[in-house]
Amino acid sequence: MSTPTLKPTRPWKLTPKQRGLIVLNLVIASALSYLIVLLTPMKGKLAYLSIFFIATIVINFAENYFKRGLAAAKDSIATSFAAAGLIVAVVPIFSILFTIFERGRAGLNFGLFLHDMKLNGPNDPLNQGGLLHALIGSGIMVGIALLISLPIGILTAIYLTEIKGIYSRPIKFLVQAMSGVPSIVAGLFILSAIVFPITKSSSGLMGGFALAILMIPTIARTSEEVLLLIPNDLREAGVALGGTQWRTISLIVVPAAKSGLITATILGLARVAGETAPLVLVSGGGDAVNTNPFQSPMGSLPFYIWKGFTFGTTESIARSWAGIFVLLSLIFILFIAARTLSGSRSSK
Amino acid sequence: MSTSTPIVNSANSTPEKRELTTKPRFSDKVFRGVATAGGLSSLVILGLILIFLGYQGFQVLRSEGIGFITGSNWQVVQDNAGNTDLEASTFGIAAMLVGTLLCAALAVSIAVPISVLCALYLTFYAPQFLKKMMVAIIDLMAAFPSILFGMWGFFILMPHVEYWAKLIHRYFSWIPLFKMEIPVYTRSPFVAGVVLAIMIIPIITSVSREIFSQTPLDRIQAAYALGATRWSMIRAVVIPYGKSGVVGGAMLGLGRAMGETVAVYTVLNLVYQINWHVLIGAGGNVASMILLKFGEAGPTETRALMAAGLVLFILTLIVNSIANAIVSRTGGKGR
């Protein structure tokens, strides 16, 4: 004999009648906007959208006012505006992604990853030349930046969360200030401190240094957040077992935070992979594959895009879009990797 | 049975008392030293940036004095030998500073309402699945490189924005800010402001969202229990609580917008004059000026560019510090 089970009620769920009303509102608003654009001198997409928006608000306001009173009517206006805010914020993203897909497709072919631009100008047909040099250069420079900023970033985070010395507050403040350093200033700094007085020529190493300056704060701040999430019980357990602070942190805390620290690193990579301005200043931007970061100019993906854009012909701009397609795909992969690793932590 | 007695009885075999000390071991001392050095590196780097940019720009700063910030002329005079004559040349970045502030202020004033509404929607209105998806998308947008915004802004957004500028000019030209004698709408500070606004919307949105989600739950529930609608709850509880956090987020966005280089370079027509009229196609930005002039600059002009970089660095440092101070003060007292 089966006992009847109660279904949980959901009083906030919309009834079919309410749903119908919402659809009806939208239909009326669209009809209104169509009519007004037809009959008045206001024309264009902007007119359709703004009239539709205003009409929706007015209809909702009227409906709620007569049904539930003024307060509910005001609430409906606020809801419409908040939703409009989200739509306005998100539309550019989809426009950007769509544009890159649409325009980047033309320049994409497999040869892109096999050739460099040593023998080709940016104006050559799209099936000649490629961005191998840029990919390699970007990889090397970002790698150098990673080698420098990973230890510094994680040590900073450890200092802020584990040691908590007297400088904690000022260092926290400075790291935050550092994350706001404009990218071009990082490039100028490397120019003024290393390129002009010492090396006198641009190279991939200089690009790596400039990127490291931009990468340190990202890694430090994210790692700090990750280390703060490690429960204190683990630290206490380590110390209670007789571990020194060094052994507790290196054998317990950091391994426990490993996936979070990797996320921090990936976010740092994604942050600097597309930096253009400092690389234009210090890396030189060669057209041939160059695997030696200490000598001669080195190309990079952002520089490749930049060069195509400033050259300004149809072919070169198509090359740029293809370059952006590749760059954004890389950033996308990094981003997804970071989110999968960090799991549900950051998606609260 | 008697095996344990000798141990108990013998006075010599009681283990000596271990020395208890709170002094760190040698390994800990090394570790703390290394970590402290790592932590202090941010101080060192910021200090070095100040020192080296100051050192390289010193010559120009000394010869121009306060005129470097107040003057709006950038003229390089060369003597007969082809060397730059520092005395005769004038370097002043007032026009570019005004342009930087104008574009950034415009960007913030466009972005803040949109971001705050968006953050409110995501925190209090959106269903869970939509919220997760949108937060991920907006976070992704924050990682978009600036050259992408630059090219998208140039090819896709600019025609639209020029049309909006024409509309604004037709209906609002009585406001001094929107006045213009010669209608040139292309590559104006307005376009740059819109592109920058789109760039900083993710930043302001995520800061505001963070602050809004820390609103004490008991106050929210209390407002609902007193019969508040969602909007009156937001107005009575969330906005007073999150106000200063939003201001901080806006200033973070301002700092980012002031330091932006490539995106502004592509959509702004750099003209060396102080221009407050946002719709006219002539503006400036310190960062993109540096990028523009760097290619053909001689040694002395490069030093002047370093000095300009120093000014930009100090400006963004101040704005960011204030912003961070405000945000961290607000964030602390959550539920």
Side-chain angles (χ1 to χ4, degrees), chain B residues 167-308:
Chain B
L167 285 184
I168 291 175
H169 179 237
R170 192 189 299 166
Y171 296 110
F172 297 100
S173 56
W174 44 272
I175 300 173
L177 197 63
F178 298 134
K179 212 160 55 183
M180 60 199 291
E181 261 90 63
I182 319 142
V184 186
Y185 297 100
T186 326
R187 291 162 69 96
S188 61
F190 182 65
V191 181
V194 172
V195 172
L196 286 175
I198 291 170
M199 291 184 71
I200 60 178
I201 281 176
I203 300 172
I204 306 181
T205 304
S206 64
V207 174
S208 312
R209 206 172 49 78
E210 199 91 334
I211 301 282
F212 289 157
S213 68
Q214 287 174 359
T215 316
L217 195 59
D218 48 354
R219 290 189 218 166
I220 296 178
Q221 307 286 31
Y224 281 145
L226 288 170
T229 58
R230 225 171 338 199
W231 169 238
S232 39
M233 182 279 290
I234 289 173
R235 230 180 35 181
V237 177
V238 178
I239 291 180
Y241 176 82
K243 211 166 35 185
S244 61
V246 171
V247 172
M251 290 196 67
L252 278 183
L254 186 71
R256 169 98 192 260
M258 288 199 309
E260 187 44 53
T261 316
V262 177
V264 176
Y265 183 96
T266 54
V267 296
L268 185 63
N269 193 15
L270 285 180
V271 173
Y272 245 90
Q273 68 189 41
I274 294 182
N275 172 23
W276 287 104
H277 306 297
V278 290
L279 297 181
I280 295 179
N285 174 293
V286 176
S288 46
M289 187 248 334
I290 295 172
L291 190 62
L292 177 75
K293 299 262 178 198
F294 178 76
E296 65 259 24
T300 314
E301 197 178 358
T302 309
R303 281 169 193 276
L305 292 179
M306 299 272 179

Side-chain angles (χ1 to χ4, degrees), chain A residues 82-95:
Chain A
L86 177 69
I87 292 170
V88 173
V90 168
V91 161
I93 307 181
F94 287 109
S95 169

Side-chain angles (χ1 to χ4, degrees), chain A residues 119-139:
Chain A
L119 303 172
N120 300 97
N123 213 5
D124 285 354
L126 290 172
N127 55 7
Q128 295 175 17
L131 41 69
L132 181 68
H133 63 295
L135 270 179
I136 291 177
S138 264

Side-chain angles (χ1 to χ4, degrees), chain A residues 55 63 77 188 268 285:
Chain A
E63 190 200 337
I77 294 184
L188 277 180

Side-chain angles (χ1 to χ4, degrees), chain A residues 75 79 93 95-96 100 152 156 159 163 171 173-174 176 180 182 184 191-192 245-246 249 281 306 309 332 335, chain B residues 28 31-32 35-36 38-39 41 43 56 118 121 125 137 140-141 148 152 231 265-266 287 294 316 320-321 324:
Chain A
D75 187 45
T79 313
I93 307 181
S95 169
I96 287 174
I100 292 173
I152 293 182
T156 306
Y159 182 80
I163 296 189
I171 285 182
F173 189 76
L174 284 172
Q176 281 175 341
I184 193 146
L191 267 185
S192 67
Q245 192 177 23
W246 151 242
I249 290 170
L281 291 190
W306 171 250
F309 176 75
F332 213 79
F335 200 77
Chain B
D28 269 5
F31 169 64
R32 285 187 190 186
T36 312
S41 65
L43 173 69
Q56 297 277 359
C118 181
Y121 189 84
Y125 291 89
I137 289 177
L140 174 68
M141 190 182 181
L148 169 52
W152 176 78
W231 169 238
Y265 183 96
T266 54
F294 178 76
T316 48
N320 274 308
S321 306
N324 284 317

